[in-house]
Amino acid sequence: MTTSATARTRLTRWRWLPVAVAVAIALTGCGSSSDGSSGGSSGGDSGAKSITFWLSASAAQAQGYHDLAKEFQAKEGVTVEIVNVPYDGYQDKLRQAAQANSLPDTASVPSLDTIWINQLQDLSATANAPANKINKDLLTVKDGKVLCIPSDLTAAGLFVNKTLFDKAKVKIPADPNQTWTWDEFLAAATKVRTATGAKYDLVYDQSPARIRPFIYASGGKGFQLGPDNKFATPDDATVQALSKFASLNDDKVMPKSVWTSGADPNALFKSGQVVAYFSGVWQVADFAESITSFDWASAPTPGPIHATDINLGGKVVAFNNGDKAEAAKKWVDYLFQPANYTKLAQVNGYLPVESGLTLNYPFKKKAALDAFQLYIKEMELADPISSSGHQNGTKLLLAGKSIQEDPTKDEMAKLINGQQDIKKTVDNIVSGLNQQIG
């Protein structure tokens, strides 16, 4: 099935950013075009014939890098060895590499780390190149040095098994301006499950970032930094939301295994036996390729407060690795030249960090094209609190601090298993965060 749809975003103010981000996107089902000029300086011949590039991504969201690596090798004579590292343990692997003086030459990292931040090259030339049109408010800058450039924008969101909804004759809201509440969604999901014989109403990524939208939608503020750069005890609405979330893990609404023993929610959703999956925009490219046994769709994030978790995707960095440094920096510059970044965003299914691009996503399924339209609308409507997780992390980093292991997952698992009550859970999360930042 080949379907095309077109949506151009107007100049708009995304309330979670200090200034407007202008993104012109043409969503079509086939074909591609790009037109842009190079930005940044290419530098001289460093002599390096190969460099390493680490990332953690699905095969679908790594393909764009593999394609550009081939082109880069043909143009520059430098081979880019791409290493796809499992997400769990990636940060630890980077820390161990730093301690062993064996960091990769370049990488797309989940977050910056104080243990190796001083080994980063300055990417200012690429980030500030007028042709690249990278939004400056998305950059992490310290002492005038651009430490990283984000590969893409991300937002959390809801996916549904449309085949099951259609079979149960239950409607899915189409307009995020008129979305369902969490209670309404859960009631609808239960109705679908009981009518179709599905196994679970919902699977939900085991992630501190993903649980934030559930808290925000319920009126909670979540875990926020206070004026003293310490995490404060959360408000009552946050506590109530976490308690409710735990109660949903009853092996009917949600399987306990995801949050207590690391079962894969992506695989469970793809099995066709789950009504819905709360994850994020990065799943679109994967689902477009891999789900063939049922129809899926992106659905508006439940309210009543319209919120998500808006963040940056991978943060692209270049390490100062001796004679590899110049080639590494050249690779990063190559990625963000508009014509090349257009290819990367299209193939990987990225919401772009560069403005003025015309993107022709190569997805044939209407569900994938509709998903991008929905995510753009969701980000426009999102309450400003939706970006607070990212803002807290940046604030800590620039103060020379960082959270290496968010305790939320482990503490919520104990709550779900009945090993501790909600007060102990919240206290442990707050203390666990603050212990890491001193």
Side-chain angles (χ1 to χ4, degrees):
M1 177 178 66
T2 301
T3 308
S4 65
T6 300
R8 283 189 183 275
T9 60
R10 66 188 186 282
L11 288 176
T12 185
R13 179 173 297 274
W14 285 352
R15 292 177 294 164
W16 58 280
L17 285 176
V19 297
V21 180
V23 184
I25 300 179
L27 296 174
T28 63
C30 56
S32 67
S33 65
S34 62
D35 183 22
S37 57
S38 298
S41 61
S42 63
D45 184 5
S46 67
K49 296 303 180 185
S50 67
I51 58 173
T52 52
F53 178 67
W54 288 10
L55 79 165
S56 183
S58 66
Q61 285 212 309
Q63 187 59 50
Y65 291 107
H66 285 283
D67 294 346
L68 288 183
K70 292 177 184 177
E71 296 178 12
F72 183 73
Q73 196 277 333
K75 181 179 180 182
E76 301 291 346
V78 178
T79 299
V80 181
E81 180 187 351
I82 296 176
V83 181
N84 200 338
V85 182
Y87 186 83
D88 286 342
Y90 186 18
Q91 292 287 74
D92 287 340
K93 186 177 178 67
L94 284 165
R95 290 175 69 84
Q96 292 163 5
Q99 292 164 344
N101 197 29
S102 60
L103 283 162
D105 302 308
T106 60
S108 176
V109 301
S111 61
L112 303 185
D113 193 324
T114 53
I115 197 171
W116 46 255
I117 194 172
N118 291 331
Q119 299 184 54
L120 295 177
Q121 296 192 66
D122 182 8
L123 302 179
S124 295
T126 299
N128 296 324
N132 292 351
K133 297 182 181 178
I134 296 170
N135 186 276
K136 304 303 185 291
D137 295 297
L138 304 179
L139 303 174
T140 301
V141 182
K142 185 176 183 181
D143 300 328
K145 177 180 177 179
V146 175
L147 304 178
C148 64
I149 303 173
S151 60
D152 60 309
L153 296 168
T154 68
L158 182 68
F159 297 93
V160 297
N161 184 321
K162 188 174 181 298
T163 296
L164 294 181
F165 270 85
D166 290 346
K167 185 176 179 181
K169 296 182 172 56
V170 175
K171 291 185 177 180
I172 305 165
D175 185 356
N177 278 300
Q178 299 176 339
T179 189
W180 38 22
T181 66
W182 269 103
D183 286 344
E184 290 168 343
F185 159 70
L186 290 169
T190 297
K191 184 176 180 180
V192 172
R193 172 173 57 82
T194 55
T196 62
K199 195 168 184 180
Y200 303 114
D201 293 359
L202 176 68
V203 285
Y204 203 109
D205 277 350
Q206 187 196 25
S207 162
R210 229 74 71 236
I211 204 170
R212 289 174 195 148
F214 190 88
I215 295 170
Y216 300 155
S218 304
K221 302 300 183 185
F223 297 91
Q224 301 289 345
L225 284 176
D228 59 353
N229 263 10
K230 294 289 186 70
F231 285 91
T233 299
D235 54 12
D236 289 343
T238 295
V239 176
Q240 292 169 10
L242 291 174
S243 182
K244 180 176 180 178
F245 183 87
S247 72
L248 298 176
N249 288 262
D250 61 356
D251 283 332
K252 288 184 179 179
V253 177
M254 288 198 286
K256 286 184 177 181
S257 58
V258 172
W259 275 76
T260 62
S261 55
D264 184 359
N266 176 287
L268 286 167
F269 182 67
K270 288 179 179 178
S271 74
Q273 293 299 306
V274 180
V275 176
Y277 177 24
F278 197 86
S279 186
V281 66
W282 52 90
Q283 300 285 4
V284 174
D286 178 32
F287 289 175
E289 294 292 329
S290 63
I291 295 181
T292 58
S293 61
F294 61 89
D295 291 332
W296 60 273
S298 284
T301 300
I305 294 173
H306 201 107
T308 180
D309 181 69
I310 296 176
N311 215 317
L312 307 182
K315 298 168 180 64
V316 178
V317 299
F319 290 98
N320 197 11
N321 285 353
D323 61 358
K324 301 290 187 78
E326 191 170 341
K329 201 169 184 178
K330 187 181 290 187
W331 163 244
V332 173
D333 184 73
Y334 188 80
L335 290 176
F336 288 98
Q337 292 170 15
N340 299 329
Y341 183 73
T342 295
K343 296 175 185 177
L344 182 69
Q346 287 172 168
V347 173
N348 287 4
Y350 282 167
L351 294 174
V353 298
E354 296 186 13
S355 63
L357 303 180
T358 297
L359 299 181
N360 299 308
Y361 292 107
F363 306 122
K364 295 180 180 180
K365 289 190 176 181
K366 185 175 183 296
L369 301 172
D370 289 347
F372 282 101
Q373 291 178 301
L374 178 62
Y375 274 102
I376 290 168
K377 291 178 182 176
E378 293 251 274
M379 292 170 76
E380 290 176 355
L381 293 170
D383 188 280
I385 199 171
S386 299
S387 64
S388 61
H390 163 65
Q391 292 167 355
N392 285 336
T394 300
K395 186 178 179 181
L396 286 174
L397 180 76
L398 296 180
K401 303 175 181 180
S402 63
I403 301 297
Q404 296 304 319
E405 190 67 37
D406 191 311
T408 302
K409 292 194 297 183
D410 290 342
E411 298 304 327
M412 286 298 295
K414 294 174 188 175
L415 176 63
I416 292 166
N417 277 332
Q419 296 170 274
Q420 63 189 23
D421 62 17
I422 184 62
K423 184 180 185 305
K424 183 67 172 176
T425 299
V426 170
D427 289 346
N428 285 353
I429 292 172
V430 173
S431 63
L433 292 169
N434 285 333
Q435 285 170 10
Q436 296 179 62
I437 57 179

